[in-house]
Amino acid sequence: MSSEPIFRVALRGQTIITIPRWNKGTAFTMEERKAFGLTGRLPYRVNTLDEQCDRAYDQLEARPEPLRKNTFLQSLKDQNWVLYYALISRHLEELTPIIYTPTEAEAISNYSHLFRRSEGLYLTFPQQDVMEQDFLEQTRGRDIDLIVCSDAEQILGIGDQGVGIATAKAAIYTLLAGVNPSKTLSVTLDVGTDNEELLNDQLYVGWPHKRVRGEEYDQFIDKFVQLVRKHHPHCLLHFEDFGVNNAKRLLDIYRDKHAVFNDDVQGTGAVTLATVMAAAGVTESTLADQRIVIYGAGTAGLGIARQLRDGMVTLDNISISDANKRFYMLDRFGLIKESLGPGKIRQGLQEFVRPDDEWEGAETNDKGEIGLLEVVRRVKPTVLIGCSTQAGAFTEEVVKEMEKGTERPIILPLSNPSKLHECTPQNANDWTNGKALLATGSPFPPCKMPNGKEYIVAECNNALIYPGLGFGAIASKSRSLTDTMIIAGTRRLAELAPALKDPDDALLPDFGNSPAVNLEVAVAVAQQAIEEGTAGVDWKKEEVREKVKEMQWKPIYGQYVYDEDGER
């Protein structure tokens, strides 16, 4: 998009200033005000976008609580897309946690009580007989690049929320990768809720019914996916916040039929893989050299294990079975080992089950379960990853035991929000005498090193990679988002790690650089799609960077020309 694009618009008067895609507020020029019938609808002064951002930021600052800031920004987005994205872009590191993790979780948990205006598409189980009609009401005639859908069963840190539109995810795609917001759609798949508090809340806006499961659930989801495939075959379908029994299963069902992506499975795994690759670069080792303990074997933990395993297979040329042996997974039953039996080994974890004969003589609790400390003591892991939401699980004893077995322990307490982290970075740093290579799931201040220097703690944030992964697939019109495309994007992110130039620097780029980082990821993904033949564009690899940059949407107003046959 040029610095001054021209749009032909068919809306006038009150209509144009009530549609957020087209509203400029006080930034409409005098010529535009005359052409669109706005002279008497706006105060005299014409403001620049920068002046509007300054005003909006002052209004935002008057709201001290994060949740109030979140609701203000949501209201701004309902009024003016360009101003919303321009404001956040100017204060990226400060405001991304307000519209996304961690504040968005609080906003979703209060969704029914904060509800003011519907946004996106609500598809509800008892109304599925009109699903296609409802779908087309929202999408007919639109060019859709991205659909983000959620059944809100497992929202990080707050669990089952029944109904709550996943608009933040789509907004991050726009903010950090440049996906055009007019070509995105957020969809709530309301199949009920098992959250008793919501079911008993007279203000709950969703379907007040126990969550539908089994064959009826699968048929409902499939009906939706087939509508996407039928009407928008080239869009990216992003699955968000699905429960542990559905996330990976649905991904496996549809990944060969459409370009689908699950951030909880693949995004978390990809950014963690990039982090571990960067740490391996610091220690001058390979992925296959690592011994990896993952504490928390839910959707995120399993996604991380699979992504790291696939990275070993692709980059280090070892077999899947050999790669699986590098992992030790723990959940609420302790180490996942054979003798737990099928009743305690969740589907999907079978590849990572440890044989019992490895653990003869191991210390167990009264249930015969092997805990984290004993696993660390015997395995001597090089990498310890936490996605358990059990605050303080990485105790001083655990961390010091890990330090005994490796020169530079790689410790990644990734649980969100920050109050649920397995340990603080400062504690991990202190307990390892400044040797730990660290990344966390939420922002933390730098650690004080024993030598007086500061260690920048990398934020292992999915938003550093998933917008680029998705935009790479969108730009290349790929028929699927393949594992090798994800590995290509992940490899590029790892190459940008500051720690590769200074081993005491961060393992990932600063979040303030995330738009530039996601552009690099998108280019790598699109190039890989072209190389492996899944792309739907006729580009040469050397053209990809400029083509992707040309496709990026930017929060600028441009010039409006009134045209009865123009856009609406």
Side-chain angles (χ1 to χ4, degrees), residues 469 483-493 521 524-525 528:
L469 293 175
D483 289 339
T484 45
M485 289 164 65
I486 293 173
I487 292 289
T490 304
R491 194 172 191 172
R492 183 61 185 134
L493 174 58
V521 171
V525 170
Q528 180 64 30

Side-chain angles (χ1 to χ4, degrees), residues 78-321:
D78 290 341
Q79 299 170 52
N80 184 328
W81 284 353
V82 169
L83 179 54
Y84 170 82
Y85 286 109
L87 174 64
I88 298 171
S89 296
R90 285 159 170 75
H91 304 275
L92 190 63
E93 291 187 85
E94 176 188 353
L95 298 186
T96 299
I98 298 297
I99 67 163
Y100 189 50
T101 303
T103 310
E104 183 65 7
E106 185 180 0
I108 292 173
S109 67
N110 289 281
Y111 184 76
S112 292
H113 289 257
L114 296 173
F115 186 87
R116 294 177 183 172
R117 177 179 176 179
S118 61
E119 183 178 9
L121 172 63
Y122 301 82
L123 300 177
T124 308
F125 184 82
Q127 298 172 327
Q128 61 182 296
D129 57 322
V130 292
M131 184 187 289
E132 184 164 21
Q133 177 183 330
D134 291 343
F135 183 86
L136 291 175
E137 283 286 343
Q138 290 264 19
T139 63
R140 187 182 286 110
R142 290 179 60 187
D143 183 11
I144 302 288
D145 284 338
L146 170 70
I147 295 177
V148 180
C149 69
S150 176
D151 73 354
E153 183 176 7
Q154 191 58 53
I155 296 174
L156 198 60
I158 57 174
D160 185 349
Q161 296 301 310
V163 63
I165 204 79
T167 55
K169 215 71 179 186
I172 295 294
Y173 271 107
T174 296
L175 188 67
L176 302 185
V179 176
N180 190 327
S182 69
K183 297 183 179 183
T184 69
L185 177 68
S186 295
V187 180
T188 284
L189 299 168
D190 187 357
V191 293
T193 179
D194 291 334
N195 185 327
E196 290 294 336
E197 186 176 341
L198 294 177
L199 291 172
N200 294 322
D201 185 352
Q202 63 178 357
L203 295 181
Y204 177 55
V205 297
W207 181 41
H209 190 281
K210 284 288 187 181
R211 190 170 281 274
V212 173
R213 301 191 183 277
E215 187 175 345
E216 285 187 316
Y217 173 88
D218 286 352
Q219 290 174 349
F220 180 77
I221 299 297
D222 188 67
K223 189 170 186 177
F224 163 69
V225 174
Q226 298 312 323
L227 285 177
V228 173
R229 296 183 65 210
K230 175 182 177 182
H231 296 289
H232 299 281
H234 300 297
C235 79
L236 177 70
L237 178 57
H238 178 120
F239 290 104
E240 180 70 13
D241 294 326
F242 282 75
V244 67
N245 293 320
N246 292 320
K248 182 65 168 60
R249 184 176 66 86
L250 292 175
L251 182 65
D252 288 342
I253 290 173
Y254 296 112
R255 66 183 309 169
D256 293 329
K257 301 174 183 176
H258 192 85
V260 297
F261 181 71
N262 187 308
D263 187 41
D264 304 303
V265 177
Q266 296 163 295
T268 301
V271 74
T272 307
L273 171 59
T275 307
V276 175
M277 288 171 67
V282 172
T283 60
E284 298 182 350
S285 59
T286 68
L287 282 174
D289 291 331
Q290 311 308 316
R291 299 180 298 279
I292 301 171
V293 171
I294 299 179
Y295 188 69
T299 299
L302 182 56
I304 288 168
R306 288 178 179 272
Q307 198 70 68
L308 289 170
R309 186 269 313 279
D310 292 348
M312 293 178 187
V313 171
T314 301
L315 302 175
D316 295 333
N317 296 312
I318 65 173
S319 68
I320 290 178
S321 60

Side-chain angles (χ1 to χ4, degrees), residues 282-504:
V282 172
T283 60
E284 298 182 350
S285 59
T286 68
L287 282 174
D289 291 331
Q290 311 308 316
R291 299 180 298 279
I292 301 171
V293 171
I294 299 179
Y295 188 69
T299 299
L302 182 56
I304 288 168
R306 288 178 179 272
Q307 198 70 68
L308 289 170
R309 186 269 313 279
D310 292 348
M312 293 178 187
V313 171
T314 301
L315 302 175
D316 295 333
N317 296 312
I318 65 173
S319 68
I320 290 178
S321 60
D322 281 347
N324 287 340
K325 294 174 184 177
R326 271 70 171 175
F327 294 87
Y328 300 81
M329 309 278 290
L330 292 92
D331 62 9
R332 62 194 179 95
F333 300 114
L335 178 71
I336 296 171
K337 58 186 190 344
E338 288 174 342
S339 56
L340 287 179
K344 293 183 178 180
I345 299 176
R346 189 170 53 78
Q347 185 176 2
L349 291 171
Q350 289 81 2
E351 297 171 292
F352 302 105
V353 174
R354 305 303 306 195
D356 280 3
D357 57 18
E358 289 181 349
W359 299 91
E360 289 182 8
E363 183 178 310
T364 64
N365 62 16
D366 56 3
K367 298 179 182 178
E369 298 164 350
I370 301 174
L372 178 61
L373 178 60
E374 182 68 1
V375 171
V376 170
R377 183 178 291 131
R378 292 172 70 107
V379 171
K380 296 180 172 34
T382 59
V383 182
L384 177 60
I385 298 172
C387 36
S388 66
T389 66
Q390 292 187 20
F394 295 173
T395 63
E396 182 175 0
E397 190 176 9
V398 166
V399 172
K400 286 187 171 181
E401 188 65 41
M402 183 182 180
E403 187 209 355
K404 294 177 184 178
T406 183
E407 180 63 26
R408 297 213 65 177
I410 302 165
I411 302 177
L412 313 179
L414 302 182
S415 290
N416 279 315
S418 54
K419 65 181 180 181
L420 300 179
H421 270 50
E422 288 77 9
C423 71
T424 67
Q426 187 62 62
N427 280 342
N429 186 276
D430 292 342
W431 295 336
T432 61
N433 297 308
K435 296 178 183 177
L437 296 167
L438 299 165
T440 56
S442 292
F444 273 89
C447 297
K448 294 292 185 181
M449 302 278 282
N451 60 9
K453 290 176 61 179
E454 286 192 338
Y455 178 81
I456 305 299
V457 181
E459 184 184 349
C460 196
N461 190 325
N462 298 16
L464 278 171
I465 193 167
Y466 85 76
L469 293 175
F471 193 55
I474 290 168
S476 64
K477 298 188 181 298
S478 180
R479 296 186 297 275
S480 60
L481 181 52
T482 64
D483 289 339
T484 45
M485 289 164 65
I486 293 173
I487 292 289
T490 304
R491 194 172 191 172
R492 183 61 185 134
L493 174 58
E495 290 170 352
L496 299 173
L500 297 181
K501 295 180 179 178
D502 177 354
D504 290 327

